[in-house]
């Protein structure tokens, strides 16, 4: 990875490349990287590799792809060309494909695209203030961000979902009065369902010098932040399956 990611950045002319994580299949693993441009809010380019050397670009996720992937159960196989029978997953979608002359199957590559998108939307997070929104609407890294204080770093409200906000638009003017439009343009983790610490665990490690958040909804997603520094990030190492038993575990 240390050798192939800089080459990836050069070949695709990304401003930055993040190692996103790894989805473990039965017969192999998918290593995922994300390429970023100047505007951090723009759709990200995602690539996968089976050997950490050769990378293939993933197409953007469609609504239909996301809906079908949610209904697929069981482990990934580790083979991008593996086909899931849609007749067993969603009979309506299968019938539509047959009518249009296509085979009623879903390739594992499509499931991979949708799963990475789902995880990013649900649990891809950043500390408050790490990014700023310009008046023109583009999002950039905040050069003045020096990290959260230790006290702030222990609170769920100090972390935001790095995706388009859904509930923020529904807030009243009174609720928005205390928000800074340049930094509070994302949604806070404190409103995640189950509420509070139901879907996240916060821990202090290395003698309180690193704050680690782990998702209980997508097991395997780990976020870290070193308070009072610019260091933060998240990585996913798991099976690509959502923890649907979470409500029963609380």
């Amino acid at each position: 990875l240390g050798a192939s990611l800089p080459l990836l950045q050069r070949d695709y002319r990304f401003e930055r490349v993040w190692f996103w994580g790894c989805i473990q299949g039965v017969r192999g693993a998918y290593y995922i990287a994300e390429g970023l441009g100047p505007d951090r809010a723009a759709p990200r380019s995602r690539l996968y590799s089976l050997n950490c050397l050769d990378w293939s670009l993933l197409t953007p996720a469609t609504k239909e792809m996301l809906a079908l992937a949610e209904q697929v159960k069981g482990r990934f196989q580790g083979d991008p060309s593996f086909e899931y029978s849609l007749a067993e997953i969603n009979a309506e979608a299968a019938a539509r494909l047959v009518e249009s002359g296509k085979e009623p199957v879903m390739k594992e590559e499509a499931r991979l695209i949708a799963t990475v998108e789902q995880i990013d939307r649900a649990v891809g997070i950043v500390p408050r203030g790490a990014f700023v929104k310009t008046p023109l609407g583009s999002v950039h890294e905040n050069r003045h961000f020096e990290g959260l204080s230790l006290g702030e770093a222990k609170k769920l409200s100090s972390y935001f979902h790095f995706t388009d906000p859904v509930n923020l638009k529904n807030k009243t003017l009174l609720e928005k009065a205390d928000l800074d439009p340049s930094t509070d343009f994302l949604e806070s983790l404190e409103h995640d369902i189950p509420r509070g610490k139901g879907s996240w665990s916060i821990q202090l490690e290395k003698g309180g010098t690193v704050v680690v958040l782990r998702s209980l909804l997508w097991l395997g997603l780990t976020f870290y932040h070193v308070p009072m520094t610019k260091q933060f990030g998240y990585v996913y190492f798991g099976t690509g399956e959502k923890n649907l038993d979470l409500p029963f575990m609380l």
Side-chain angles (χ1 to χ4, degrees), residues 5-125:
L5 290 181
L7 293 174
L8 192 67
Q9 185 172 344
R10 184 199 68 186
D11 294 345
Y12 284 90
R13 295 187 178 150
F14 294 133
E15 190 172 281
R16 210 168 148 197
V17 168
W18 282 348
F19 175 63
W20 183 87
C22 171
I23 290 180
Q24 300 282 351
V26 176
R27 296 196 293 269
Y30 295 103
Y31 298 92
I32 315 291
E34 288 190 334
L36 308 167
D39 181 3
R40 295 293 193 257
R44 296 167 217 172
S45 299
R46 296 193 177 106
L47 304 100
Y48 78 92
S49 173
L50 300 171
N51 57 8
C52 295
L53 291 172
D54 306 308
W55 296 87
S56 306
L57 199 59
L58 292 168
T59 56
T62 62
K63 283 185 180 176
E64 189 180 27
M65 218 185 265
L66 289 164
L68 286 173
E70 278 203 5
Q71 295 169 35
V72 179
K73 298 286 179 281
R75 292 277 305 274
F76 276 82
Q77 295 302 307
D79 173 10
S81 58
F82 179 82
E83 294 179 342
Y84 297 94
S85 169
L86 281 186
E88 298 167 17
I89 301 163
N90 186 319
E92 285 178 31
R96 279 201 303 272
L97 282 173
V98 170
E99 280 171 25
S100 61
K102 294 177 186 172
E103 282 190 71
V105 294
M106 180 186 193
K107 288 206 168 176
E108 184 156 279
E109 190 176 66
R111 185 188 176 193
L112 179 70
I113 292 166
T115 302
V116 174
E117 178 70 23
Q118 281 176 326
I119 294 172
D120 253 349
R121 281 188 193 178
V123 290
I125 60 175

Side-chain angles (χ1 to χ4, degrees), residues 196-211:
K197 294 187 180 177
S199 51
W200 292 94
S201 90
I202 299 185
Q203 290 158 335
L204 293 175
E205 297 192 0
K206 288 198 172 181
T209 55
V210 182
V211 179

Side-chain angles (χ1 to χ4, degrees), residues 101-250:
K102 294 177 186 172
E103 282 190 71
V105 294
M106 180 186 193
K107 288 206 168 176
E108 184 156 279
E109 190 176 66
R111 185 188 176 193
L112 179 70
I113 292 166
T115 302
V116 174
E117 178 70 23
Q118 281 176 326
I119 294 172
D120 253 349
R121 281 188 193 178
V123 290
I125 60 175
V126 293
R128 181 178 183 267
F131 292 87
V132 289
K133 189 173 191 178
T134 66
L136 297 173
S138 59
V139 175
H140 303 280
E141 286 181 25
N142 184 0
R143 293 180 185 175
H144 303 293
F145 177 69
E146 294 297 336
L148 300 169
S149 67
L150 187 57
E152 288 293 314
K154 294 178 191 173
K155 299 177 188 170
L156 272 182
S157 56
S158 299
Y159 302 97
F160 290 155
H161 287 283
F162 199 36
T163 184
D164 286 335
V166 179
N167 302 320
L168 204 59
K169 296 163 189 155
N170 304 331
K171 284 196 170 185
T172 63
L173 287 173
L174 194 62
E175 287 174 310
K176 287 181 181 175
D178 295 332
L179 302 180
D180 181 342
S182 66
T183 53
D184 297 319
F185 58 93
L186 299 168
E187 260 164 27
S188 165
L189 262 60
E190 64 182 335
H191 304 302
D192 282 13
I193 297 170
R195 276 293 173 97
K197 294 187 180 177
S199 51
W200 292 94
S201 90
I202 299 185
Q203 290 158 335
L204 293 175
E205 297 192 0
K206 288 198 172 181
T209 55
V210 182
V211 179
V212 174
L213 275 76
R214 291 185 175 88
S215 173
L216 303 177
L217 184 63
W218 288 95
L219 298 171
L221 188 289
T222 304
F223 169 89
Y224 74 92
H225 175 48
V226 182
M228 309 305 290
T229 75
K230 294 178 184 243
Q231 292 180 44
F232 68 87
Y234 64 86
V235 71
Y236 177 81
F237 278 90
T239 58
E241 295 173 287
K242 197 175 190 177
N243 180 19
L244 299 173
D245 297 328
L246 180 59
F248 306 104
M249 292 164 66
L250 301 173

